[in-house]
Amino acid sequence: MSFSLYVEVLIQGVLSGLVYGLMALGLSVIFGVVRVVNFAHGEFAVLAMYCAFVLFGLAGVDPIIASIPLAIAFFVLGYAMQRGMVQPFVTRPQHEQFILLVGVALVITNGLLLVFGPESKHVDLPYSFDSYTVAGVLIDKVRVYGAAAALAVTAALFAFFRFTSTGTAIRASADNLTGAAVVGLDVKRLYAISFGLGLACVGAAGSIMMALTDMTPMLAPSLTLLAFTIVIVGGLGSMTGALAGGLLIGVAEAVASLVVSPAIKSMVSFGLLVLVLALRPQGLFGKAES
Amino acid sequence: MKGALSFLTPRSTIALLVCGVALLIAPFVVDRYTLSIILLALLGTYLGQAWNILMGYCGLLSLGHALYLGLGAYASAILFVNYGVGPWLSVFVAMALAIGAAAVLGWLGFRFRIEDVYFSLLTIAFAEIVRIGFDNWSFVGGAAGFFLPVNASLSHQWWNLRGGPLFFYYLALAMAVASLVIAAVLRSSKLGYAFLAIREDPQAARALGVNINRTRFLALFISAAMTAVGGVYLAFWTNNLFPAQILETSKSIEIILAPIIGGLGTLMGPFVGAFLLVPLGSALTDGLRAIGLSAPGVKALVYGLILMAIIAATPNGIWPWLARKLGLEAREP
Amino acid sequence: MTALLEVVDVVKRFRGLTAVDSVSLSVEDGEIFAIIGPNGAGKTTLFNLIAGVYAPDEGEVRYAGARIDGQEPEQICAAGIARTFQIVKPFPDLSVRDNVAIGAMLRAPDMTAARAQGDEILRKLDLFDKSAQKAGSLTLPDRKRLEVARALATKPRIILLDEVMAGLRPTETDRMVGVLRDINRHDKLTIVMIEHVMRAVMALADRVHVLHHGASIAEGAPQEVTKDARVIESYLGMKAAH
Ligand SMILES: Nc1ncnc2c1ncn2[C@@H]1O[C@H](COP(=O)(O)OP(=O)(O)O)[C@@H](O)[C@H]1O
Ligand SMILES: [Mg+2]
């Protein structure tokens, strides 16, 4: 194996990692603010993939472009879900939250299975097989576009949290819930916005993924797990951690596929997970408990 | 033992006896298809009870119990096929393996005071690691599966679990009853109360002298070992094992449905839940088939809706409510 | 008399804040020892250091001559030091009776014995009538009593009581004072109590130790300490101002 092949794989890992990171970011935002683990996260990603698939089939919309309208649609979905379904569970025991979202996950996956069947689906983009050649290294065009879109959405989210008053309020309520309520912030609304933003991330990421891989409803649990692995490695609730975790896992899986076998790539990320939990249980960017 | 039964009122003793007798004579009353449904419900009761000991009593949410089921099943199947070791012996290997896996999980999960979420996520991750490993490990048959010989000449070696439907039915009944007895004995023992204390408030439990690490390990070991025994049964009953079935997260979720719907942390919850869900599931499949639909997702979709409805409406499950209606509430010991 | 519990120069810091700043005290066997001080003085943190919730950053905790700092809470309870929580921690979904039985099972051979021992303590604390209720449904004063009952059930030699009188009505306070005096005299239980209710402190304590901003500012008999100018300024005066 040549050196340039390794570089290629590394770059590919980074590019996929950015998309993974965006998906995991959604999980981290939801947990960081609402303190609910979205057990149906991968299911929402797959739902977004199917939406992108349908948009492409009906109107020929490039899934990477579709990531913008889908992010908005998923924001609305998330906002409504938090308001109408998850909110009463915020103060309930953790296992009840889990079970609710397991129910949601089952409904999404099997609903998709009913409508679309188990066959794997993919979209053929005009540039699906194009690539750039930089210094003898091949880089897939579609991955570059996908990563750029993911980066753009991520940047928008960070900017939202940094520069808008709502974003600042959400960060305040994540740090100190009672404090936030005392100074008169409408915590329920902030929760709904956060859940919406979390799903917007996963909506955009899912849409982008549709351009990159084949997909079936059965993919959902493994995507949920991927998102979990990333946020635990990065540190549950940390936004930077989710991104760094995404990159790390993206690269680790890409390298593992090349060096060992594609089939066991997710074992490598689980291995990484176990390693992180053994050495630094709060995750790479997580805050240690006092 | 006497303490373990002290929760029984005369009324509930009679109810239990009626259930017991009905299950004992069922093979002579119902057809084979119905019997197979009851068998599945009994198995669900058993596995649900094993999981309930961990979650319902000790408050540890495992979403990866398929791991112990799969380890038990594969261990006994491989020992039988490749080394001629019978299930009555290999069941101990199965339990030991499950306990070993649980020990690693517990070591990672309990050593640092990791938040509850982490423990649950870790259980899924562990089960998935093993599933993917088994999918790609040719020694255990990989994704293509591992098969036990189905050979007519062996069919009466009951000591090798090679029996007919009746044999497997009574075995499942015995396991379900045994799990109920184990749970009842635990529930009235010091260990069981230590479980409850940890579930309710770990910090208060420690302040009263409960060693929470040791106790959590014990809960995990008991639950894992019991589940592994269920795996041995499953291996010899179905005769084929696929990582995508027995080690899948959906299997873990199937295990936990019955106790949650029946009533977490109650003795009868897993039983009530299983005898509600399993017939419902097959009625659903049958009904769909009758109207010419063989949609693979419908059953799981309905399960999902049931889960959401139950957890939103009665998070404590059906049994506490049902017991009140039937006047079968437990007596204060 | 000999020192049963000794705290020697313990320090505990949380990030920037020094919650307990080089505190030393010595509690004698059979004594009733009170710790007072304004909110945030570090009293609960000191209990947490004795009970093993935290290990001190500096200093030592000795019990019956042996070092116990750094041990786990369950070890310290098993050794004979029980504690209550200021912010009560009942097992909400269990009956009052089971709550106390869980405390008693530490030294009881089985649950039947634990329950019998627990019932006796419930009677002593006027909770027996409510033993079938879920602990989560109790009123705050009853929850405070349950904290004491549960800790007593572990049959300790020393009991650490963290503001168990708070929220009790005067008659209930007197009743609790009576109970504590009784267990101190008859069961030879050493009591260390954090208490804001001065009426109870004056009635019970052999000695009072005053903390302020994490540091010890006075120690002595109740009548002396309440006359100390610094104490009046930092604590009693503050209360009077309210
Ligand atoms: N776990 C903790 N983390 C950070 N600060 C703490 C913690 N526990 C107590 N403190 C701080 O230590 C100081 C002393 O608290 P505490 O011991 O509860 O006081 P008291 O019981 O005398 O009212 C307070 O300023 C409190 O905020
Ligand atoms: Mg305090």
Side-chain angles (χ1 to χ4, degrees):
Chain A
M1 274 179 276
S2 66
F3 177 71
S4 68
L5 187 57
Y6 277 99
V7 176
E8 240 171 79
V9 166
L10 216 63
I11 291 175
Q12 192 188 317
V14 169
L15 295 177
S16 330
L18 284 168
V19 184
Y20 290 170
L22 176 59
M23 178 176 71
L25 192 59
L27 189 63
S28 214
V29 166
I30 295 172
F31 181 79
V33 181
V34 192
R35 292 273 136 191
V36 168
V37 176
N38 181 14
F39 193 71
H41 208 68
E43 281 72 10
F44 281 107
V46 167
L47 184 64
M49 290 171 96
Y50 274 96
C51 291
F53 176 76
V54 170
L55 279 177
F56 181 78
L58 292 182
V61 185
D62 184 325
I64 292 172
I65 311 266
S67 65
I68 306 300
L70 279 179
I72 295 168
F74 271 61
F75 174 82
V76 175
L77 176 66
Y79 190 96
M81 235 182 89
Q82 172 66 28
R83 274 270 143 127
M85 190 169 74
V86 182
Q87 183 59 42
F89 281 79
V90 166
T91 50
R92 303 236 314 237
Q94 208 150 54
H95 71 266
E96 293 180 14
Q97 303 170 355
F98 258 112
I99 289 158
L100 176 77
L101 288 156
V102 168
V104 173
L106 286 174
V107 169
I108 294 177
T109 318
N110 294 289
L112 290 172
L113 199 61
L114 268 177
V115 178
F116 295 96
E119 304 80 25
S120 78
K121 302 264 191 287
H122 71 281
V123 297
D124 288 313
L125 295 170
Y127 55 89
S128 275
F129 298 102
D130 293 356
S131 51
Y132 300 109
T133 315
V134 183
V137 175
L138 283 175
I139 306 167
D140 298 338
K141 203 169 180 176
V142 61
R143 279 185 199 282
V144 174
Y145 287 4
L151 214 53
V153 177
T154 308
L157 193 72
F158 271 81
F160 170 81
F161 278 117
R162 183 115 230 116
F163 300 118
T164 69
S165 58
T166 312
T168 315
I170 290 177
R171 279 191 297 150
S173 69
D175 286 344
N176 183 346
L177 183 56
T178 31
V182 166
V183 298
L185 296 175
D186 179 355
V187 174
K188 282 188 188 169
R189 186 176 141 261
L190 298 182
Y191 278 2
I193 291 174
S194 305
F195 210 103
L197 289 172
L199 286 201
C201 291
V202 81
S207 184
I208 296 167
M209 277 191 265
M210 192 65 238
L212 306 178
T213 53
D214 293 359
M215 163 266 326
T216 80
M218 275 77 85
L219 206 63
S222 61
L223 285 179
T224 300
L225 274 171
L226 180 66
F228 284 166
T229 310
I230 291 171
V231 295
I232 295 181
V233 166
L236 206 48
S238 153
M239 289 178 60
T240 331
L243 282 186
L247 287 176
L248 193 64
I249 297 285
V251 170
E253 292 204 342
V255 172
S257 309
L258 177 68
V259 180
V260 197
S261 119
I264 65 132
K265 67 175 187 190
S266 32
M267 271 181 92
V268 172
S269 40
F270 287 137
L272 214 60
L273 169 76
V274 169
L275 203 68
V276 166
L277 279 179
L279 300 177
R280 199 180 150 78
Q282 73 273 30
L284 298 176
F285 288 81
K287 279 181 235 149
E289 277 178 72
S290 62
Chain B
M1 277 305 294
K2 218 173 114 242
L5 294 177
S6 61
F7 65 92
L8 285 174
T9 58
R11 226 182 132 97
S12 45
T13 312
I14 293 169
L16 259 186
L17 284 177
V18 170
C19 282
V21 171
L23 287 168
L24 271 175
I25 61 169
F28 309 103
V29 181
V30 303
D31 59 53
R32 267 182 85 156
Y33 177 66
T34 314
L35 196 67
S36 72
I37 291 173
I38 303 177
L39 181 150
L40 277 174
L42 288 170
L43 204 58
T45 306
Y46 174 83
L47 293 174
Q49 203 70 263
W51 180 83
N52 197 32
I53 288 172
L54 189 63
M55 171 65 210
Y57 296 162
C58 203
L60 289 169
L61 176 58
S62 163
L63 295 168
H65 256 46
L67 170 64
Y68 313 117
L69 194 71
L71 284 180
Y74 271 98
S76 62
I78 289 166
L79 281 171
F80 185 65
V81 174
N82 293 7
Y83 306 98
V85 180
W88 300 105
L89 204 60
S90 64
V91 71
F92 293 101
V93 179
M95 288 196 282
L97 262 177
I99 288 173
V104 178
L105 180 83
W107 179 73
L108 278 174
F110 305 150
R111 201 164 46 121
F112 315 93
R113 283 158 208 144
I114 286 180
E115 267 188 275
D116 301 344
V117 193
Y118 281 68
F119 178 79
S120 303
L121 297 183
L122 204 57
T123 59
I124 312 176
F126 252 63
E128 276 295 294
I129 293 179
V130 173
R131 181 186 67 76
I132 296 165
F134 272 49
D135 247 342
N136 294 284
W137 190 14
S138 57
F139 178 69
V140 299
F146 190 91
F147 301 90
L148 281 88
V150 186
N151 186 332
S153 72
L154 290 174
S155 74
H156 294 293
Q157 290 187 13
W158 60 266
W159 59 92
N160 275 335
L161 293 188
R162 309 277 68 193
L166 216 61
F167 171 76
F168 276 105
Y169 174 81
Y170 282 113
L171 194 57
L173 181 57
M175 282 165 60
V177 171
S179 70
L180 187 68
V181 172
I182 291 173
V185 169
L186 266 178
R187 182 67 183 72
S188 63
S189 70
K190 282 166 75 168
L191 184 59
Y193 275 90
F195 291 169
L196 293 177
I198 291 175
R199 179 192 77 188
E200 295 286 299
D201 192 320
Q203 221 190 332
R206 299 189 84 187
L208 296 173
V210 175
N211 183 333
I212 59 170
N213 269 353
R214 196 185 69 106
T215 310
R216 280 178 167 161
F217 268 117
L218 282 175
L220 190 56
F221 289 171
I222 293 171
S223 183
M226 282 176 72
T227 308
V229 173
V232 176
Y233 178 97
L234 220 55
F236 283 79
W237 182 53
T238 59
N239 294 312
N240 52 63
L241 300 172
F242 301 96
Q245 282 174 10
I246 201 162
L247 280 164
E248 184 75 68
T249 304
S250 61
K251 194 74 183 179
S252 301
I253 288 172
E254 197 185 311
I255 292 174
I256 77 178
L257 283 175
I260 289 171
I261 286 168
L264 271 178
T266 64
L267 281 177
M268 297 312 288
F271 175 77
V272 173
F275 274 83
L276 205 81
L277 269 185
V278 174
L280 185 78
S282 37
L284 220 77
T285 320
D286 295 349
L288 285 169
R289 197 177 295 134
I291 58 168
L293 274 173
S294 70
V298 173
K299 194 166 128 186
L301 183 88
V302 172
Y303 275 0
L305 290 172
I306 293 176
L307 263 188
M308 289 165 65
I310 292 270
I311 208 66
T314 63
N316 294 326
I318 288 168
W319 174 245
W321 169 83
L322 192 67
R324 232 179 358 261
K325 287 270 164 224
L326 300 179
L328 295 175
E329 285 159 298
R331 180 163 60 190
E332 271 285 310
Chain C
M1 285 215 272
T2 53
L4 185 58
L5 177 71
E6 281 176 288
V7 173
V8 187
D9 293 330
V10 294
V11 176
K12 176 67 192 173
R13 299 184 196 93
F14 294 112
R15 306 240 163 86
L17 175 94
T18 307
V20 172
D21 192 358
S22 195
V23 168
S24 297
L25 51 86
S26 162
V27 179
E28 291 178 356
D29 199 358
E31 190 176 21
I32 298 184
F33 190 96
I35 297 172
I36 65 172
N39 280 330
K43 306 179 297 293
T44 298
T45 305
L46 182 63
F47 266 17
N48 283 333
L49 289 167
I50 299 169
V53 175
Y54 311 122
D57 295 321
E58 289 167 34
E60 295 180 7
V61 181
R62 293 170 180 280
Y63 168 63
R67 270 185 79 160
I68 56 163
D69 51 270
Q71 288 191 14
E72 301 294 327
E74 58 267 24
Q75 291 173 302
I76 287 172
C77 176
I81 303 179
R83 64 92 50 96
T84 67
F85 290 96
Q86 180 184 355
I87 298 166
V88 293
K89 292 179 179 294
F91 302 127
D93 254 3
L94 304 184
S95 67
V96 168
R97 195 172 193 220
D98 283 350
N99 266 264
V100 181
I102 286 171
M105 77 185 184
L106 177 65
R107 297 190 217 283
D110 55 40
M111 284 317 291
T112 315
R115 244 177 245 117
Q117 293 173 12
D119 286 351
E120 226 171 282
I121 291 164
L122 285 175
R123 281 200 189 88
K124 201 180 282 181
L125 283 151
D126 304 327
L127 276 173
F128 190 71
D129 293 344
K130 295 170 181 152
S131 57
Q133 274 186 37
K134 288 207 168 162
S137 71
L138 292 179
T139 59
L140 186 66
D142 280 342
R143 288 183 201 210
K144 292 261 174 188
R145 272 195 276 254
L146 180 62
E147 281 285 320
V148 179
R150 233 173 26 175
L152 281 177
T154 65
K155 294 194 178 158
R157 268 183 87 187
I158 303 181
I159 188 166
L160 311 176
L161 303 172
D162 197 344
E163 300 198 22
V164 293
M165 309 280 182
L168 298 194
R169 273 175 276 141
T171 51
E172 292 171 328
T173 307
D174 290 345
R175 174 88 186 105
M176 183 68 100
V177 166
V179 170
L180 294 181
R181 186 177 286 134
D182 179 65
I183 56 173
N184 172 251
R185 295 227 176 113
H186 291 100
D187 306 334
K188 305 278 176 277
L189 196 66
T190 305
I191 298 175
V192 183
M193 54 192 281
I194 294 173
E195 200 47 72
H196 277 307
V197 180
M198 287 313 288
R199 175 187 164 94
V201 174
M202 302 308 277
L204 282 172
D206 297 312
R207 282 189 298 156
V208 179
H209 190 102
V210 190
L211 288 183
H212 185 53
H213 289 316
S216 307
I217 56 170
E219 187 185 287
Q223 284 75 13
E224 293 165 27
V225 166
T226 46
K227 283 190 215 114
D228 186 302
R230 287 213 298 165
V231 176
I232 293 167
E233 184 193 340
S234 75
Y235 179 51
L236 301 171
M238 215 180 77
K239 283 197 85 173
H242 273 257

